[in-house]
Structure formats: structure tokens, C-alpha cells
Amino acid sequence: MTAAIRAAARPFSGEALTSLLSSAPRLLGLGEPTHGVEAFLDLRNELFRHLVEHEGYRSIALESDCVAALAADAYVIDGTGRLDEVMDRGFSHEFGTFAGNRELLRWMRAYNERRPAPDRLRFYGFDGPLETAGAAGPRQALTAVHGYLATHLDLDLPWSAERLDALLGEDAAWTDPAAMRDPARSVGRTPEAKELRLAADDLLALLTAHAPHLTAVGSPEDLWRAALHARTAVGLLRYHAALADTAPTRLGTLVALRDTMMADNLEAIVRHEARRGPTLAFAHNAHLQRHRSGMRFGGQQLAWWSAGAIAATRLGDGYAFAATTFGTRGSDVPDPGCLEGVLAALPDARSVLDPNRLVAAFDPEPAARVPADHTYFGLDPATLDRADAIVFLKEV
């Protein structure tokens, strides 16, 4: 390892990471190369504590179901529910089983107990109600926004609750896991689904058109939740329509639509938190990086723009991204000629690196890591300069 590469690195700390940011972001994305590794959750928790205590952050957003996360948010704000129950129903993707996520909620709740309501930390999910095997049905989101509008608007809504219920049909038809592989099993392009897409669009338009009145007669928080449900209903119906598509680009469309939902939720969170402080977003690197994302799935090579890339176009300098990667995991030891193999020679167990100085120090540029299995992605040396910081864990 050259002295120049060592000079690009510092022992990891929250201060060391934020010192690399060219400006104070409104949204800081912290990526991870794989899910389910507690070391990355511990690092995230440490960074978030620093951001809260020293940088004015008041919220965190995770790659988890945005609707389910309302339960976790209620717990950290005022202690609603038991922690065990919240871990079970407040996360998607089985993320509630991880100790690091439990510790995050426990710490946020303890912090909030000592703070007035306007200064309390908020917890958000920014993923849609989506799993690898399929998507949730739109019933919960669509009926929630319809109920909100029916309660607060003194007018006849273009869609009755009874009509929506009839169009929605059986929930099991929407959540059939076989639809992920077989478009014919999806109900996303039936006449009923097409009418539901019109209904969701109309209800979202009503929220926007009557926002001044809705703010006056209710709470801003209630309007925020209604808008969340409206976005979710629109996004889910769009996703289900893509599930029913028979075009060869179907899988690529699905991953792009998921990140579009993520980006819309992130933008809404940033607006919601604008008067309180910045937000930390935590997800897979592929959902937060600025450059085009890609992976092999279903026998195809997929490529799409991540939620972070979309957020960067909307927020400009208000978005920053820190990527993480690792060296050794059990018997998986990086080749000395790849990026992670080069970084493995750093002296510290956890390092934060300046990407521009790191790239300038390469001679020659190291190879991209070839993963030992499909559960993680190595960093691409050719795109390091699109990140604002690189965090490297020598062993996980």
C-alpha cells in the first residue's frame, strides 16, 4: 500500500465522515454492501448518534416499508406499543429481527423521553410495502386516504368506500407470490385495477387541491400520513401493473419503479423535516449511490437509477452519499489486487476515506471485487469519485 492511499484514510468516526462533505446536506445517504450484517448497523447507529448530538439531525429513514414504519415512529416519539411488538410489525424484509435495529429504536426512545415534542427524533421507512416475492395489495393505503378525505372534506368524493371495496376484491389475489415470476398470475392490469389507478390518482389530486383546508381543520401530521398513504397507493398500483406486463423489460421496470417510490418518499421526508434538521437515510449501496445501479436477477442483467441518484437530481448539493464496503467475512478474503484487498492493508479496523484522494492515489486502478456469493456487491473502483465518503470495515 502506498503512503498516498494511507493518507486518504482516517479512523472511522462521525466527525471524520462529515468532515469530507463539501456542504451541509439535507439528506445524507449511508449505504451498506449487503443486508443482515450487524457491524454495518452498529456503524450506522454510531454515526446517527453523532449526527443527532453534533450536527442537528432529527430523523432517520431506513430501507423498510414506509407504512409499517409508522408503528416504529409512534414508539420512538411517545412510547406507543411494546418494543417486541414494534420490532415485529414496524419493519419489512425481516429487518426487525436484527439487534442493531432494536438498539436504534431503544436509543431513539430514550433520547426522546428527555425532549419536548418538537425536538424529538423521528423514524421513517422509505421503501414501499414490497418484498422480493411480491408486493402488498393497495387496500390499506387506498382506504386510509379515502377515509381521511371523507372525514375532512364536505363534498361527495368521486369514489365511494363501497365502490373501492368492490374493486379491490380479495387481498390474496394481490399478494400471490407466483405473480413475481408469472405475469398471468398478476391482477395488476384487470379492469378493476385500472379503475383503482384512476381512483388513487383522483384521491391524491384532492389532497393537493384541498391542502390549505385540510391543514386548517386537522393536523399537519394527519395530512402527512394521508399523503404517505396516497403515494403508496399510487406506487403499489403502478407496481402491480408492471407485474402483469409480459414485455422482456418487465423485471427492469419493477426495480426502477421500486427506487422511484423510494425517491418520492425520501423527497417527502426531507420536506417534512425541513424546519427541524437533516435526515440520515440507510439502505443498500445500490439504492443510494449516484451512478447507475445494476444486478443480475431472473437470468437478466438489470440496470436502473437508484433512489439516491434521483434524490441527487432533486436536491443537488443537498444530497450526500457515503458508501461502505468490507474486507474479510469468514472464509471470504478479498483478492489482494481488488479494491477491498488493497484497503485491507489499512491499519484500522474501521476507516473512512476521501474518495478523490483515494482515486488519485491508485496506480494502477485496482480491480473490482468478484463476490464469493450473491449476497453482496463490491464497490466499483471506477465510480468511487461519485461518493462523498467511503467507509471500509476490515472484517465483518
Side-chain angles (χ1 to χ4, degrees), residues 52-333:
V52 168
E53 294 169 353
H54 301 284
E55 309 278 352
Y57 283 60
R58 287 296 175 267
S59 57
I60 188 169
L62 269 57
E63 180 192 339
S64 189
D65 180 347
C66 58
V67 176
L70 294 173
D73 186 47
Y75 175 80
V76 301
I77 290 175
D78 56 23
T80 300
R82 294 175 53 250
L83 182 55
D84 286 344
E85 296 172 350
V86 170
M87 297 307 299
D88 181 55
R89 60 189 179 89
F91 293 83
S92 57
H93 313 313
E94 300 185 351
F95 290 162
T97 62
F98 297 122
N101 287 333
R102 187 183 188 90
E103 172 59 21
L104 174 66
L105 263 58
R106 188 208 61 77
W107 180 82
M108 293 176 71
R109 177 67 198 127
Y111 182 95
N112 284 343
E113 287 178 340
R114 308 188 302 271
R115 299 295 188 280
D119 194 43
R120 290 177 185 169
L121 306 179
R122 298 292 302 268
F123 178 93
Y124 298 97
F126 69 93
D127 201 354
L130 308 171
E131 296 285 353
T132 303
R139 180 182 298 277
Q140 179 183 5
L142 199 57
T143 56
V145 66
H146 183 275
Y148 172 81
L149 290 169
T151 300
H152 293 289
L153 294 184
D154 186 19
L155 53 83
D156 291 330
L157 298 180
W159 309 86
S160 69
E162 293 75 17
R163 178 58 180 164
L164 291 180
D165 185 63
L167 292 170
L168 285 162
E170 296 295 329
D171 290 342
W174 293 94
T175 57
D176 182 358
M180 177 57 71
R181 298 288 184 181
D182 182 3
R185 297 292 293 270
S186 172
V187 296
R189 296 198 176 189
T190 62
E192 292 81 4
K194 292 177 181 178
E195 190 171 341
L196 285 169
R197 290 187 74 181
L198 291 175
D201 186 68
D202 281 350
L203 296 178
L204 179 57
L206 283 171
L207 274 181
T208 303
H210 295 274
H213 169 74
L214 294 169
T215 302
V217 300
S219 71
E221 191 61 31
D222 286 343
L223 179 57
W224 152 259
R225 285 176 174 243
L228 168 66
H229 283 114
R231 285 194 313 274
T232 302
V234 170
L236 280 175
L237 287 163
R238 189 183 295 138
Y239 191 89
H240 279 287
L243 277 172
D245 190 5
T246 58
T249 56
R250 173 178 179 269
L251 292 177
T253 299
L254 290 172
V255 294
L257 286 176
R258 181 187 176 195
D259 271 70
T260 300
M261 291 178 69
M262 288 182 172
D264 288 344
N265 283 328
L266 285 174
E267 184 179 24
I269 291 166
V270 169
R271 289 199 308 268
H272 195 51
E273 292 289 327
R275 296 182 180 180
R276 294 180 357 109
T279 299
L280 175 67
F282 180 73
H284 197 286
N285 287 328
H287 292 307
L288 295 174
Q289 62 197 22
R290 287 190 178 92
H291 60 280
R292 199 162 174 81
S293 299
M295 68 174 182
R296 287 200 65 80
F297 184 77
Q300 299 180 34
Q301 181 63 40
L302 308 182
W304 73 99
W305 291 106
S306 75
I310 298 170
T313 66
R314 296 171 175 177
L315 299 175
D317 291 341
Y319 180 68
F321 170 56
T324 64
T325 189
F326 67 92
T328 297
R329 180 170 64 169
S331 61
D332 181 10
V333 180

